[in-house]
Amino acid sequence: MAMDAGELQTLIKEALPDAHVEIRDLAGDGDHYAAVVISESFRGKSRVQQHQMVYQALKGKMGDELHALALQTSAPE
């Protein structure tokens, strides 16, 4: 089962309302995405903690509806 890029963006924005989110479908199959997420919520957090916040936003869809997600996260400059 594939996931729509819009749904992916919506889930992230619901959890991190201030986030700037860019989603790219890497394979055109709705299963492999790259995401850039920039949020003030990430300030002071390690890269692992930032990625965990994004995975939590996906509400268990990672590994089910979404097979692969290459993440690039940061706080705004």
Side-chain angles (χ1 to χ4, degrees):
M1 181 185 289
M3 179 180 232
D4 178 76
E7 181 183 0
L8 182 59
Q9 183 168 0
T10 298
L11 289 169
I12 295 170
K13 293 284 286 176
E14 284 175 356
L16 304 165
D18 73 314
H20 169 78
V21 182
E22 295 176 24
I23 307 290
R24 194 166 37 105
D25 189 338
L26 296 176
D29 60 4
D31 278 337
H32 300 80
Y33 288 101
V36 175
V37 183
I38 301 170
S39 173
E40 187 61 40
S41 303
F42 295 151
R43 191 165 309 281
K45 304 239 185 319
S46 71
R47 184 85 57 216
V48 170
Q49 289 170 319
Q50 294 173 16
H51 288 202
Q52 287 172 336
M53 291 170 71
V54 174
Y55 290 134
Q56 284 179 332
L58 300 179
K59 302 178 183 174
K61 295 181 187 290
M62 188 70 209
D64 182 28
E65 293 179 43
L66 181 61
H67 178 69
L69 179 63
L71 274 176
Q72 182 180 349
T73 58
S74 66
E77 292 184 9

PDB file of all heavy atoms in Angstrom, residues 24-64:
ATOM      1  N   ARG A  24       9.769  14.698  -1.750  1.00  0.00           N
ATOM      2  CA  ARG A  24      10.107  14.275  -3.116  1.00  0.00           C
ATOM      3  C   ARG A  24       9.913  12.770  -3.210  1.00  0.00           C
ATOM      4  O   ARG A  24      10.410  12.017  -2.387  1.00  0.00           O
ATOM      5  CB  ARG A  24      11.567  14.651  -3.396  1.00  0.00           C
ATOM      6  CG  ARG A  24      11.969  14.593  -4.826  1.00  0.00           C
ATOM      7  CD  ARG A  24      13.299  15.302  -5.073  1.00  0.00           C
ATOM      8  NE  ARG A  24      14.251  15.136  -3.991  1.00  0.00           N
ATOM      9  CZ  ARG A  24      15.317  14.343  -4.027  1.00  0.00           C
ATOM     10  NH1 ARG A  24      15.575  13.644  -5.111  1.00  0.00           N
ATOM     11  NH2 ARG A  24      16.131  14.249  -3.004  1.00  0.00           N
ATOM     12  N   ASP A  25       9.157  12.326  -4.201  1.00  0.00           N
ATOM     13  CA  ASP A  25       8.948  10.892  -4.441  1.00  0.00           C
ATOM     14  C   ASP A  25      10.146  10.386  -5.237  1.00  0.00           C
ATOM     15  O   ASP A  25      10.342  10.760  -6.386  1.00  0.00           O
ATOM     16  CB  ASP A  25       7.647  10.679  -5.224  1.00  0.00           C
ATOM     17  CG  ASP A  25       7.240   9.221  -5.316  1.00  0.00           C
ATOM     18  OD1 ASP A  25       8.105   8.335  -5.169  1.00  0.00           O
ATOM     19  OD2 ASP A  25       6.046   8.963  -5.555  1.00  0.00           O
ATOM     20  N   LEU A  26      10.950   9.541  -4.619  1.00  0.00           N
ATOM     21  CA  LEU A  26      12.212   9.115  -5.220  1.00  0.00           C
ATOM     22  C   LEU A  26      12.048   8.106  -6.353  1.00  0.00           C
ATOM     23  O   LEU A  26      12.848   8.076  -7.275  1.00  0.00           O
ATOM     24  CB  LEU A  26      13.128   8.517  -4.144  1.00  0.00           C
ATOM     25  CG  LEU A  26      13.570   9.482  -3.052  1.00  0.00           C
ATOM     26  CD1 LEU A  26      14.377   8.739  -2.001  1.00  0.00           C
ATOM     27  CD2 LEU A  26      14.376  10.631  -3.635  1.00  0.00           C
ATOM     28  N   ALA A  27      11.038   7.241  -6.255  1.00  0.00           N
ATOM     29  CA  ALA A  27      10.893   6.172  -7.244  1.00  0.00           C
ATOM     30  C   ALA A  27       9.596   6.259  -8.048  1.00  0.00           C
ATOM     31  O   ALA A  27       9.365   5.441  -8.922  1.00  0.00           O
ATOM     32  CB  ALA A  27      10.983   4.810  -6.541  1.00  0.00           C
ATOM     33  N   GLY A  28       8.744   7.224  -7.719  1.00  0.00           N
ATOM     34  CA  GLY A  28       7.478   7.358  -8.420  1.00  0.00           C
ATOM     35  C   GLY A  28       6.458   6.306  -8.039  1.00  0.00           C
ATOM     36  O   GLY A  28       5.458   6.114  -8.722  1.00  0.00           O
ATOM     37  N   ASP A  29       6.696   5.620  -6.917  1.00  0.00           N
ATOM     38  CA  ASP A  29       5.813   4.525  -6.509  1.00  0.00           C
ATOM     39  C   ASP A  29       5.035   4.797  -5.224  1.00  0.00           C
ATOM     40  O   ASP A  29       4.263   3.960  -4.774  1.00  0.00           O
ATOM     41  CB  ASP A  29       6.617   3.234  -6.344  1.00  0.00           C
ATOM     42  CG  ASP A  29       7.717   3.339  -5.290  1.00  0.00           C
ATOM     43  OD1 ASP A  29       7.823   4.396  -4.629  1.00  0.00           O
ATOM     44  OD2 ASP A  29       8.468   2.362  -5.138  1.00  0.00           O
ATOM     45  N   GLY A  30       5.233   5.974  -4.613  1.00  0.00           N
ATOM     46  CA  GLY A  30       4.530   6.291  -3.381  1.00  0.00           C
ATOM     47  C   GLY A  30       5.051   5.531  -2.172  1.00  0.00           C
ATOM     48  O   GLY A  30       4.435   5.566  -1.118  1.00  0.00           O
ATOM     49  N   ASP A  31       6.166   4.840  -2.317  1.00  0.00           N
ATOM     50  CA  ASP A  31       6.751   4.071  -1.220  1.00  0.00           C
ATOM     51  C   ASP A  31       8.125   4.574  -0.794  1.00  0.00           C
ATOM     52  O   ASP A  31       8.602   4.227   0.271  1.00  0.00           O
ATOM     53  CB  ASP A  31       6.917   2.597  -1.616  1.00  0.00           C
ATOM     54  CG  ASP A  31       5.646   1.791  -1.459  1.00  0.00           C
ATOM     55  OD1 ASP A  31       4.777   2.194  -0.678  1.00  0.00           O
ATOM     56  OD2 ASP A  31       5.532   0.755  -2.140  1.00  0.00           O
ATOM     57  N   HIS A  32       8.767   5.352  -1.648  1.00  0.00           N
ATOM     58  CA  HIS A  32      10.136   5.799  -1.394  1.00  0.00           C
ATOM     59  C   HIS A  32      10.195   7.321  -1.536  1.00  0.00           C
ATOM     60  O   HIS A  32      10.098   7.831  -2.654  1.00  0.00           O
ATOM     61  CB  HIS A  32      11.120   5.156  -2.375  1.00  0.00           C
ATOM     62  CG  HIS A  32      11.151   3.669  -2.299  1.00  0.00           C
ATOM     63  ND1 HIS A  32      10.201   2.881  -2.913  1.00  0.00           N
ATOM     64  CD2 HIS A  32      12.002   2.837  -1.666  1.00  0.00           C
ATOM     65  CE1 HIS A  32      10.491   1.610  -2.669  1.00  0.00           C
ATOM     66  NE2 HIS A  32      11.575   1.557  -1.915  1.00  0.00           N
ATOM     67  N   TYR A  33      10.353   8.004  -0.411  1.00  0.00           N
ATOM     68  CA  TYR A  33      10.358   9.459  -0.405  1.00  0.00           C
ATOM     69  C   TYR A  33      11.627  10.011   0.219  1.00  0.00           C
ATOM     70  O   TYR A  33      12.275   9.351   1.032  1.00  0.00           O
ATOM     71  CB  TYR A  33       9.175  10.001   0.409  1.00  0.00           C
ATOM     72  CG  TYR A  33       7.837   9.833  -0.242  1.00  0.00           C
ATOM     73  CD1 TYR A  33       6.980   8.821   0.149  1.00  0.00           C
ATOM     74  CD2 TYR A  33       7.410  10.695  -1.242  1.00  0.00           C
ATOM     75  CE1 TYR A  33       5.733   8.662  -0.440  1.00  0.00           C
ATOM     76  CE2 TYR A  33       6.167  10.554  -1.840  1.00  0.00           C
ATOM     77  CZ  TYR A  33       5.334   9.539  -1.432  1.00  0.00           C
ATOM     78  OH  TYR A  33       4.108   9.388  -2.015  1.00  0.00           O
ATOM     79  N   ALA A  34      11.926  11.252  -0.137  1.00  0.00           N
ATOM     80  CA  ALA A  34      12.927  12.048   0.558  1.00  0.00           C
ATOM     81  C   ALA A  34      12.183  13.258   1.108  1.00  0.00           C
ATOM     82  O   ALA A  34      11.292  13.802   0.449  1.00  0.00           O
ATOM     83  CB  ALA A  34      14.030  12.496  -0.394  1.00  0.00           C
ATOM     84  N   ALA A  35      12.515  13.648   2.328  1.00  0.00           N
ATOM     85  CA  ALA A  35      11.853  14.788   2.949  1.00  0.00           C
ATOM     86  C   ALA A  35      12.882  15.710   3.586  1.00  0.00           C
ATOM     87  O   ALA A  35      13.827  15.251   4.223  1.00  0.00           O
ATOM     88  CB  ALA A  35      10.858  14.325   4.001  1.00  0.00           C
ATOM     89  N   VAL A  36      12.674  16.999   3.381  1.00  0.00           N
ATOM     90  CA  VAL A  36      13.431  18.028   4.082  1.00  0.00           C
ATOM     91  C   VAL A  36      12.434  18.669   5.042  1.00  0.00           C
ATOM     92  O   VAL A  36      11.365  19.126   4.623  1.00  0.00           O
ATOM     93  CB  VAL A  36      13.992  19.090   3.107  1.00  0.00           C
ATOM     94  CG1 VAL A  36      14.664  20.214   3.876  1.00  0.00           C
ATOM     95  CG2 VAL A  36      14.939  18.448   2.106  1.00  0.00           C
ATOM     96  N   VAL A  37      12.773  18.655   6.333  1.00  0.00           N
ATOM     97  CA  VAL A  37      11.884  19.218   7.346  1.00  0.00           C
ATOM     98  C   VAL A  37      12.694  20.207   8.175  1.00  0.00           C
ATOM     99  O   VAL A  37      13.697  19.831   8.799  1.00  0.00           O
ATOM    100  CB  VAL A  37      11.283  18.125   8.255  1.00  0.00           C
ATOM    101  CG1 VAL A  37      10.304  18.745   9.247  1.00  0.00           C
ATOM    102  CG2 VAL A  37      10.599  17.037   7.435  1.00  0.00           C
ATOM    103  N   ILE A  38      12.262  21.461   8.187  1.00  0.00           N
ATOM    104  CA  ILE A  38      12.934  22.505   8.959  1.00  0.00           C
ATOM    105  C   ILE A  38      11.923  23.031   9.972  1.00  0.00           C
ATOM    106  O   ILE A  38      10.842  23.489   9.597  1.00  0.00           O
ATOM    107  CB  ILE A  38      13.423  23.640   8.045  1.00  0.00           C
ATOM    108  CG1 ILE A  38      14.397  23.080   7.004  1.00  0.00           C
ATOM    109  CG2 ILE A  38      14.071  24.755   8.864  1.00  0.00           C
ATOM    110  CD1 ILE A  38      14.759  24.042   5.895  1.00  0.00           C
ATOM    111  N   SER A  39      12.268  22.928  11.252  1.00  0.00           N
ATOM    112  CA  SER A  39      11.342  23.336  12.304  1.00  0.00           C
ATOM    113  C   SER A  39      12.102  23.883  13.506  1.00  0.00           C
ATOM    114  O   SER A  39      13.141  23.345  13.897  1.00  0.00           O
ATOM    115  CB  SER A  39      10.492  22.141  12.752  1.00  0.00           C
ATOM    116  OG  SER A  39       9.705  22.473  13.878  1.00  0.00           O
ATOM    117  N   GLU A  40      11.572  24.911  14.096  1.00  0.00           N
ATOM    118  CA  GLU A  40      12.141  25.465  15.328  1.00  0.00           C
ATOM    119  C   GLU A  40      12.114  24.414  16.441  1.00  0.00           C
ATOM    120  O   GLU A  40      12.961  24.430  17.333  1.00  0.00           O
ATOM    121  CB  GLU A  40      11.364  26.724  15.751  1.00  0.00           C
ATOM    122  CG  GLU A  40      11.963  27.465  16.910  1.00  0.00           C
ATOM    123  CD  GLU A  40      13.379  27.988  16.645  1.00  0.00           C
ATOM    124  OE1 GLU A  40      13.656  28.478  15.533  1.00  0.00           O
ATOM    125  OE2 GLU A  40      14.221  27.890  17.570  1.00  0.00           O
ATOM    126  N   SER A  41      11.180  23.483  16.373  1.00  0.00           N
ATOM    127  CA  SER A  41      11.073  22.415  17.371  1.00  0.00           C
ATOM    128  C   SER A  41      12.336  21.559  17.437  1.00  0.00           C
ATOM    129  O   SER A  41      12.569  20.877  18.429  1.00  0.00           O
ATOM    130  CB  SER A  41       9.886  21.500  17.061  1.00  0.00           C
ATOM    131  OG  SER A  41       8.702  22.231  17.002  1.00  0.00           O
ATOM    132  N   PHE A  42      13.137  21.578  16.387  1.00  0.00           N
ATOM    133  CA  PHE A  42      14.354  20.766  16.337  1.00  0.00           C
ATOM    134  C   PHE A  42      15.542  21.427  17.044  1.00  0.00           C
ATOM    135  O   PHE A  42      16.540  20.767  17.300  1.00  0.00           O
ATOM    136  CB  PHE A  42      14.754  20.486  14.886  1.00  0.00           C
ATOM    137  CG  PHE A  42      13.777  19.645  14.116  1.00  0.00           C
ATOM    138  CD1 PHE A  42      13.658  19.800  12.740  1.00  0.00           C
ATOM    139  CD2 PHE A  42      12.985  18.693  14.729  1.00  0.00           C
ATOM    140  CE1 PHE A  42      12.777  19.021  12.008  1.00  0.00           C
ATOM    141  CE2 PHE A  42      12.096  17.913  14.007  1.00  0.00           C
ATOM    142  CZ  PHE A  42      11.997  18.075  12.645  1.00  0.00           C
ATOM    143  N   ARG A  43      15.429  22.715  17.348  1.00  0.00           N
ATOM    144  CA  ARG A  43      16.556  23.435  17.936  1.00  0.00           C
ATOM    145  C   ARG A  43      16.992  22.770  19.241  1.00  0.00           C
ATOM    146  O   ARG A  43      16.166  22.467  20.095  1.00  0.00           O
ATOM    147  CB  ARG A  43      16.210  24.896  18.174  1.00  0.00           C
ATOM    148  CG  ARG A  43      17.447  25.718  18.531  1.00  0.00           C
ATOM    149  CD  ARG A  43      17.236  27.217  18.438  1.00  0.00           C
ATOM    150  NE  ARG A  43      16.673  27.711  17.194  1.00  0.00           N
ATOM    151  CZ  ARG A  43      17.355  27.896  16.062  1.00  0.00           C
ATOM    152  NH1 ARG A  43      18.624  27.569  15.999  1.00  0.00           N
ATOM    153  NH2 ARG A  43      16.747  28.388  14.994  1.00  0.00           N
ATOM    154  N   GLY A  44      18.295  22.501  19.350  1.00  0.00           N
ATOM    155  CA  GLY A  44      18.856  21.894  20.551  1.00  0.00           C
ATOM    156  C   GLY A  44      18.724  20.380  20.612  1.00  0.00           C
ATOM    157  O   GLY A  44      19.179  19.748  21.553  1.00  0.00           O
ATOM    158  N   LYS A  45      18.098  19.796  19.594  1.00  0.00           N
ATOM    159  CA  LYS A  45      17.905  18.342  19.562  1.00  0.00           C
ATOM    160  C   LYS A  45      18.952  17.709  18.643  1.00  0.00           C
ATOM    161  O   LYS A  45      19.375  18.314  17.669  1.00  0.00           O
ATOM    162  CB  LYS A  45      16.514  18.000  19.053  1.00  0.00           C
ATOM    163  CG  LYS A  45      15.374  18.643  19.827  1.00  0.00           C
ATOM    164  CD  LYS A  45      14.464  17.617  20.385  1.00  0.00           C
ATOM    165  CE  LYS A  45      13.236  18.109  21.082  1.00  0.00           C
ATOM    166  NZ  LYS A  45      13.304  19.238  21.932  1.00  0.00           N
ATOM    167  N   SER A  46      19.340  16.483  18.974  1.00  0.00           N
ATOM    168  CA  SER A  46      20.270  15.757  18.108  1.00  0.00           C
ATOM    169  C   SER A  46      19.557  15.357  16.820  1.00  0.00           C
ATOM    170  O   SER A  46      18.323  15.365  16.742  1.00  0.00           O
ATOM    171  CB  SER A  46      20.786  14.507  18.815  1.00  0.00           C
ATOM    172  OG  SER A  46      19.750  13.532  18.913  1.00  0.00           O
ATOM    173  N   ARG A  47      20.323  14.990  15.823  1.00  0.00           N
ATOM    174  CA  ARG A  47      19.746  14.552  14.545  1.00  0.00           C
ATOM    175  C   ARG A  47      18.835  13.348  14.775  1.00  0.00           C
ATOM    176  O   ARG A  47      17.760  13.251  14.194  1.00  0.00           O
ATOM    177  CB  ARG A  47      20.873  14.202  13.561  1.00  0.00           C
ATOM    178  CG  ARG A  47      20.398  13.845  12.199  1.00  0.00           C
ATOM    179  CD  ARG A  47      20.165  15.005  11.268  1.00  0.00           C
ATOM    180  NE  ARG A  47      21.351  15.817  11.107  1.00  0.00           N
ATOM    181  CZ  ARG A  47      21.318  17.144  10.964  1.00  0.00           C
ATOM    182  NH1 ARG A  47      20.171  17.774  10.929  1.00  0.00           N
ATOM    183  NH2 ARG A  47      22.403  17.844  10.833  1.00  0.00           N
ATOM    184  N   VAL A  48      19.246  12.419  15.636  1.00  0.00           N
ATOM    185  CA  VAL A  48      18.425  11.233  15.942  1.00  0.00           C
ATOM    186  C   VAL A  48      17.099  11.666  16.565  1.00  0.00           C
ATOM    187  O   VAL A  48      16.034  11.172  16.181  1.00  0.00           O
ATOM    188  CB  VAL A  48      19.185  10.260  16.868  1.00  0.00           C
ATOM    189  CG1 VAL A  48      18.256   9.173  17.386  1.00  0.00           C
ATOM    190  CG2 VAL A  48      20.368   9.645  16.143  1.00  0.00           C
ATOM    191  N   GLN A  49      17.135  12.598  17.501  1.00  0.00           N
ATOM    192  CA  GLN A  49      15.901  13.078  18.137  1.00  0.00           C
ATOM    193  C   GLN A  49      14.992  13.765  17.115  1.00  0.00           C
ATOM    194  O   GLN A  49      13.768  13.595  17.150  1.00  0.00           O
ATOM    195  CB  GLN A  49      16.233  14.036  19.282  1.00  0.00           C
ATOM    196  CG  GLN A  49      16.850  13.362  20.485  1.00  0.00           C
ATOM    197  CD  GLN A  49      17.375  14.361  21.494  1.00  0.00           C
ATOM    198  OE1 GLN A  49      17.981  15.380  21.141  1.00  0.00           O
ATOM    199  NE2 GLN A  49      17.142  14.073  22.764  1.00  0.00           N
ATOM    200  N   GLN A  50      15.588  14.528  16.211  1.00  0.00           N
ATOM    201  CA  GLN A  50      14.807  15.197  15.170  1.00  0.00           C
ATOM    202  C   GLN A  50      14.096  14.172  14.293  1.00  0.00           C
ATOM    203  O   GLN A  50      12.900  14.295  14.008  1.00  0.00           O
ATOM    204  CB  GLN A  50      15.713  16.080  14.309  1.00  0.00           C
ATOM    205  CG  GLN A  50      16.307  17.251  15.050  1.00  0.00           C
ATOM    206  CD  GLN A  50      17.328  18.011  14.223  1.00  0.00           C
ATOM    207  OE1 GLN A  50      17.401  17.871  13.000  1.00  0.00           O
ATOM    208  NE2 GLN A  50      18.132  18.837  14.884  1.00  0.00           N
ATOM    209  N   HIS A  51      14.824  13.142  13.885  1.00  0.00           N
ATOM    210  CA  HIS A  51      14.240  12.104  13.032  1.00  0.00           C
ATOM    211  C   HIS A  51      13.161  11.338  13.782  1.00  0.00           C
ATOM    212  O   HIS A  51      12.108  11.017  13.204  1.00  0.00           O
ATOM    213  CB  HIS A  51      15.330  11.159  12.517  1.00  0.00           C
ATOM    214  CG  HIS A  51      16.204  11.797  11.488  1.00  0.00           C
ATOM    215  ND1 HIS A  51      16.935  11.068  10.581  1.00  0.00           N
ATOM    216  CD2 HIS A  51      16.471  13.097  11.210  1.00  0.00           C
ATOM    217  CE1 HIS A  51      17.605  11.897   9.793  1.00  0.00           C
ATOM    218  NE2 HIS A  51      17.342  13.123  10.161  1.00  0.00           N
ATOM    219  N   GLN A  52      13.367  11.082  15.068  1.00  0.00           N
ATOM    220  CA  GLN A  52      12.350  10.402  15.872  1.00  0.00           C
ATOM    221  C   GLN A  52      11.068  11.229  15.925  1.00  0.00           C
ATOM    222  O   GLN A  52       9.967  10.682  15.873  1.00  0.00           O
ATOM    223  CB  GLN A  52      12.873  10.135  17.286  1.00  0.00           C
ATOM    224  CG  GLN A  52      13.904   9.034  17.345  1.00  0.00           C
ATOM    225  CD  GLN A  52      14.562   8.911  18.712  1.00  0.00           C
ATOM    226  OE1 GLN A  52      14.617   9.861  19.498  1.00  0.00           O
ATOM    227  NE2 GLN A  52      15.076   7.724  18.990  1.00  0.00           N
ATOM    228  N   MET A  53      11.196  12.549  16.003  1.00  0.00           N
ATOM    229  CA  MET A  53      10.016  13.422  16.019  1.00  0.00           C
ATOM    230  C   MET A  53       9.228  13.290  14.720  1.00  0.00           C
ATOM    231  O   MET A  53       7.994  13.267  14.728  1.00  0.00           O
ATOM    232  CB  MET A  53      10.437  14.871  16.260  1.00  0.00           C
ATOM    233  CG  MET A  53      10.960  15.121  17.663  1.00  0.00           C
ATOM    234  SD  MET A  53      11.714  16.756  17.864  1.00  0.00           S
ATOM    235  CE  MET A  53      10.258  17.813  17.783  1.00  0.00           C
ATOM    236  N   VAL A  54       9.934  13.210  13.601  1.00  0.00           N
ATOM    237  CA  VAL A  54       9.256  13.052  12.308  1.00  0.00           C
ATOM    238  C   VAL A  54       8.593  11.679  12.239  1.00  0.00           C
ATOM    239  O   VAL A  54       7.433  11.568  11.824  1.00  0.00           O
ATOM    240  CB  VAL A  54      10.237  13.265  11.131  1.00  0.00           C
ATOM    241  CG1 VAL A  54       9.552  12.947   9.806  1.00  0.00           C
ATOM    242  CG2 VAL A  54      10.775  14.686  11.128  1.00  0.00           C
ATOM    243  N   TYR A  55       9.300  10.628  12.650  1.00  0.00           N
ATOM    244  CA  TYR A  55       8.720   9.281  12.622  1.00  0.00           C
ATOM    245  C   TYR A  55       7.481   9.198  13.516  1.00  0.00           C
ATOM    246  O   TYR A  55       6.490   8.557  13.152  1.00  0.00           O
ATOM    247  CB  TYR A  55       9.742   8.224  13.023  1.00  0.00           C
ATOM    248  CG  TYR A  55      10.834   8.024  11.997  1.00  0.00           C
ATOM    249  CD1 TYR A  55      12.162   7.944  12.370  1.00  0.00           C
ATOM    250  CD2 TYR A  55      10.548   7.924  10.634  1.00  0.00           C
ATOM    251  CE1 TYR A  55      13.163   7.764  11.426  1.00  0.00           C
ATOM    252  CE2 TYR A  55      11.539   7.755   9.688  1.00  0.00           C
ATOM    253  CZ  TYR A  55      12.846   7.670  10.093  1.00  0.00           C
ATOM    254  OH  TYR A  55      13.829   7.493   9.150  1.00  0.00           O
ATOM    255  N   GLN A  56       7.505   9.866  14.666  1.00  0.00           N
ATOM    256  CA  GLN A  56       6.322   9.893  15.540  1.00  0.00           C
ATOM    257  C   GLN A  56       5.157  10.571  14.831  1.00  0.00           C
ATOM    258  O   GLN A  56       4.010  10.160  14.972  1.00  0.00           O
ATOM    259  CB  GLN A  56       6.630  10.628  16.844  1.00  0.00           C
ATOM    260  CG  GLN A  56       7.443   9.808  17.812  1.00  0.00           C
ATOM    261  CD  GLN A  56       7.765  10.582  19.087  1.00  0.00           C
ATOM    262  OE1 GLN A  56       7.852  11.807  19.078  1.00  0.00           O
ATOM    263  NE2 GLN A  56       7.946   9.861  20.171  1.00  0.00           N
ATOM    264  N   ALA A  57       5.458  11.607  14.050  1.00  0.00           N
ATOM    265  CA  ALA A  57       4.414  12.327  13.309  1.00  0.00           C
ATOM    266  C   ALA A  57       3.729  11.423  12.291  1.00  0.00           C
ATOM    267  O   ALA A  57       2.565  11.641  11.945  1.00  0.00           O
ATOM    268  CB  ALA A  57       5.022  13.540  12.608  1.00  0.00           C
ATOM    269  N   LEU A  58       4.428  10.391  11.836  1.00  0.00           N
ATOM    270  CA  LEU A  58       3.879   9.502  10.813  1.00  0.00           C
ATOM    271  C   LEU A  58       2.929   8.453  11.385  1.00  0.00           C
ATOM    272  O   LEU A  58       2.319   7.682  10.636  1.00  0.00           O
ATOM    273  CB  LEU A  58       5.014   8.823  10.043  1.00  0.00           C
ATOM    274  CG  LEU A  58       5.950   9.796   9.328  1.00  0.00           C
ATOM    275  CD1 LEU A  58       7.049   9.044   8.616  1.00  0.00           C
ATOM    276  CD2 LEU A  58       5.183  10.681   8.361  1.00  0.00           C
ATOM    277  N   LYS A  59       2.776   8.433  12.693  1.00  0.00           N
ATOM    278  CA  LYS A  59       1.767   7.602  13.378  1.00  0.00           C
ATOM    279  C   LYS A  59       1.798   6.137  12.947  1.00  0.00           C
ATOM    280  O   LYS A  59       0.775   5.545  12.620  1.00  0.00           O
ATOM    281  CB  LYS A  59       0.379   8.184  13.157  1.00  0.00           C
ATOM    282  CG  LYS A  59       0.245   9.605  13.636  1.00  0.00           C
ATOM    283  CD  LYS A  59      -1.129  10.164  13.360  1.00  0.00           C
ATOM    284  CE  LYS A  59      -1.190  11.625  13.801  1.00  0.00           C
ATOM    285  NZ  LYS A  59      -2.437  12.246  13.441  1.00  0.00           N
ATOM    286  N   GLY A  60       2.984   5.548  12.915  1.00  0.00           N
ATOM    287  CA  GLY A  60       3.099   4.120  12.633  1.00  0.00           C
ATOM    288  C   GLY A  60       3.025   3.728  11.166  1.00  0.00           C
ATOM    289  O   GLY A  60       3.048   2.544  10.842  1.00  0.00           O
ATOM    290  N   LYS A  61       2.948   4.701  10.273  1.00  0.00           N
ATOM    291  CA  LYS A  61       2.841   4.373   8.843  1.00  0.00           C
ATOM    292  C   LYS A  61       4.193   3.993   8.237  1.00  0.00           C
ATOM    293  O   LYS A  61       4.240   3.364   7.187  1.00  0.00           O
ATOM    294  CB  LYS A  61       2.215   5.531   8.086  1.00  0.00           C
ATOM    295  CG  LYS A  61       0.777   5.786   8.514  1.00  0.00           C
ATOM    296  CD  LYS A  61       0.163   6.921   7.741  1.00  0.00           C
ATOM    297  CE  LYS A  61      -1.200   7.290   8.270  1.00  0.00           C
ATOM    298  NZ  LYS A  61      -2.223   6.314   8.025  1.00  0.00           N
ATOM    299  N   MET A  62       5.288   4.362   8.914  1.00  0.00           N
ATOM    300  CA  MET A  62       6.626   4.001   8.424  1.00  0.00           C
ATOM    301  C   MET A  62       6.778   2.495   8.527  1.00  0.00           C
ATOM    302  O   MET A  62       6.529   1.906   9.573  1.00  0.00           O
ATOM    303  CB  MET A  62       7.685   4.709   9.275  1.00  0.00           C
ATOM    304  CG  MET A  62       9.076   4.573   8.760  1.00  0.00           C
ATOM    305  SD  MET A  62       9.294   5.511   7.246  1.00  0.00           S
ATOM    306  CE  MET A  62      10.557   4.535   6.481  1.00  0.00           C
ATOM    307  N   GLY A  63       7.164   1.861   7.427  1.00  0.00           N
ATOM    308  CA  GLY A  63       7.309   0.407   7.403  1.00  0.00           C
ATOM    309  C   GLY A  63       6.030  -0.299   7.006  1.00  0.00           C
ATOM    310  O   GLY A  63       6.037  -1.482   6.728  1.00  0.00           O
ATOM    311  N   ASP A  64       4.921   0.431   6.964  1.00  0.00           N
ATOM    312  CA  ASP A  64       3.638  -0.143   6.558  1.00  0.00           C
ATOM    313  C   ASP A  64       3.253   0.474   5.211  1.00  0.00           C
ATOM    314  O   ASP A  64       3.527  -0.081   4.161  1.00  0.00           O
ATOM    315  CB  ASP A  64       2.589   0.119   7.637  1.00  0.00           C
ATOM    316  CG  ASP A  64       1.238  -0.486   7.307  1.00  0.00           C
ATOM    317  OD1 ASP A  64       1.191  -1.509   6.586  1.00  0.00           O
ATOM    318  OD2 ASP A  64       0.216   0.054   7.767  1.00  0.00           O
TER     319      ASP A  64
END
